[in-house]
């Protein structure tokens, strides 16, 4: 899973999977950059606000969007890591790239991931180190948008889609990771999933070393070109 390959100079299919809320818009700048470079990009919108849809339905949507394309690279943001695992169990993929992502264990539920990984404690410790009040009420802007340009932040917050609770009780249906390169890109300034936390989880769950990238949790909005550079090397 640690073997490096380069896709520079050839067309590759990248499948961009969003996190909570399921909105493909969060990937739109990376999509544009990879498309400009001559790649085939499938930017998937998930039915995350549908109470009848869960992880299995999310994987169905991604699978259908990929269609007859062969050996795509899955690129998953945040909660999208669970969807990516299930898609990779259904069809051949050439690589998986996690971006500030929730990396599941086989059969794990989304609702159990935080406690199992120690995410809350890691977030709290980082807040203390960096001088933020660890007991403050959750602030969407501070957690997700602290380094995102103001115009993109306002657009995102004004078009915010609810994430249904249904998916959190679903188990991630896969038995093992495929024998393909798997990379973990961790935002250096992520307030939600601190970089050192991501490094630990990547090592424990995948046996790989996470790579630091510029930006916070929403690096696809704050540093799209730099992120596209890293994704393109998968």
């Amino acid at each position: 899973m640690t073997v490096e390959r380069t896709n520079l100079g050839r067309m590759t299919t990248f499948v961009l999977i969003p996190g909570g809320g399921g909105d493909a818009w969060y990937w739109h700048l990376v999509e544009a950059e990879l498309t400009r470079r001559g790649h085939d990009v499938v930017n998937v919108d998930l039915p995350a606000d549908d109470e009848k849809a869960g992880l299995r339905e999310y994987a169905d949507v991604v699978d259908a969007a990929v269609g007859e394309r062969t050996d795509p690279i899955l690129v998953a943001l945040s909660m999208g890591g669970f969807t990516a695992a299930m898609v990779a169990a259904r069809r051949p993929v050439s690589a998986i790239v996690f971006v500030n992502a929730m990396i599941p264990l086989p059969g794990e539920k989304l609702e159990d991931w935080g406690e199992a990984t120690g995410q809350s404690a890691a977030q709290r410790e980082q807040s203390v180190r960096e001088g933020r009040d660890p007991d403050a009420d959750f602030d969407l802007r501070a957690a997700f948008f602290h380094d995102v340009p103001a115009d993109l932040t306002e657009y995102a917050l004004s078009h915010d889609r609810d994430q249904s609770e249904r998916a959190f009780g679903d188990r991630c249906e896969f038995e093992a990771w495929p024998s393909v390169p798997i990379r973990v890109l961790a935002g250096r300034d992520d307030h939600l999933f601190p970089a050192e936390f991501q490094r630990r989880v990547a090592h424990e769950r995948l046996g790989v070393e996470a790579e630091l990238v510029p930006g916070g949790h929403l690096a696809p909005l704050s540093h799209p070109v730099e992120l596209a550079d890293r994704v393109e090397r998968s």
Side-chain angles (χ1 to χ4, degrees), residues 138-196:
F138 181 76
D139 184 339
L140 195 63
R141 291 176 183 269
F144 291 96
F145 294 96
H146 59 91
D147 65 337
V148 176
D151 59 332
L152 295 176
T153 297
E154 296 311 316
Y155 180 89
L157 294 177
S158 64
H159 293 77
D160 189 41
R161 284 164 44 179
D162 291 333
Q163 170 63 52
S164 79
E165 293 297 320
R166 158 70 190 280
F168 288 90
D170 289 348
R171 295 190 182 279
C172 194
E173 297 174 351
F174 77 112
E175 296 182 359
W177 296 104
S179 297
V180 300
I182 299 180
R183 297 174 64 202
V184 176
L185 305 183
R188 186 178 289 110
D189 301 313
D190 194 331
H191 289 182
L192 188 67
F193 299 162
E196 287 306 312

Side-chain angles (χ1 to χ4, degrees), residues 220-233:
L221 292 178
S222 62
H223 292 80
V225 175
E226 296 94 329
L227 189 56
D229 289 341
R230 296 294 190 95
V231 167
E232 192 179 32
R233 296 191 183 104

Side-chain angles (χ1 to χ4, degrees), residues 18-19 32 46 54-55 59 70-71 79 88 114-115 121 135 139 147 153 156 168 172-173:
L46 299 179
L55 291 178
T70 58
D71 298 323
M79 181 175 151
E115 183 175 353
D135 298 312
D139 184 339
D147 65 337
T153 297
F168 288 90
C172 194
E173 297 174 351

Side-chain angles (χ1 to χ4, degrees), residues 36-190:
R36 184 186 67 78
R37 300 179 189 191
H39 297 294
D40 176 30
V41 183
V42 182
N43 192 6
V44 187
D45 208 52
L46 299 179
D49 55 352
D50 182 352
E51 289 292 344
K52 296 180 180 179
L55 291 178
R56 186 177 297 178
E57 286 72 27
Y58 299 174
D60 288 343
V61 170
V62 175
D63 202 28
V66 175
E68 297 182 358
R69 296 173 176 87
T70 58
D71 298 323
I73 294 177
L74 305 181
V75 187
L77 176 65
S78 193
M79 181 175 151
F82 273 65
T83 302
M86 290 179 59
V87 174
R90 296 182 177 196
R91 64 185 301 146
V93 300
S94 61
I96 302 171
V97 183
F98 292 112
V99 180
N100 296 326
M102 300 170 73
I103 300 170
L105 294 175
E108 188 170 40
K109 293 181 180 180
L110 271 166
E111 64 187 8
D112 296 333
W113 183 87
E115 183 175 353
T117 57
Q119 182 271 331
S120 294
Q123 182 181 2
R124 181 181 182 84
E125 290 168 5
Q126 178 174 264
S127 294
V128 172
R129 285 196 307 269
E130 297 182 354
R132 296 187 298 276
D133 181 1
D135 298 312
D137 291 339
F138 181 76
D139 184 339
L140 195 63
R141 291 176 183 269
F144 291 96
F145 294 96
H146 59 91
D147 65 337
V148 176
D151 59 332
L152 295 176
T153 297
E154 296 311 316
Y155 180 89
L157 294 177
S158 64
H159 293 77
D160 189 41
R161 284 164 44 179
D162 291 333
Q163 170 63 52
S164 79
E165 293 297 320
R166 158 70 190 280
F168 288 90
D170 289 348
R171 295 190 182 279
C172 194
E173 297 174 351
F174 77 112
E175 296 182 359
W177 296 104
S179 297
V180 300
I182 299 180
R183 297 174 64 202
V184 176
L185 305 183
R188 186 178 289 110
D189 301 313
D190 194 331

Side-chain angles (χ1 to χ4, degrees), residues 16-35:
L16 307 181
I17 302 173
D23 196 336
W25 178 85
Y26 283 89
W27 279 114
H28 79 283
L29 297 176
V30 175
E31 175 188 15
E33 184 63 24
L34 291 173
T35 300

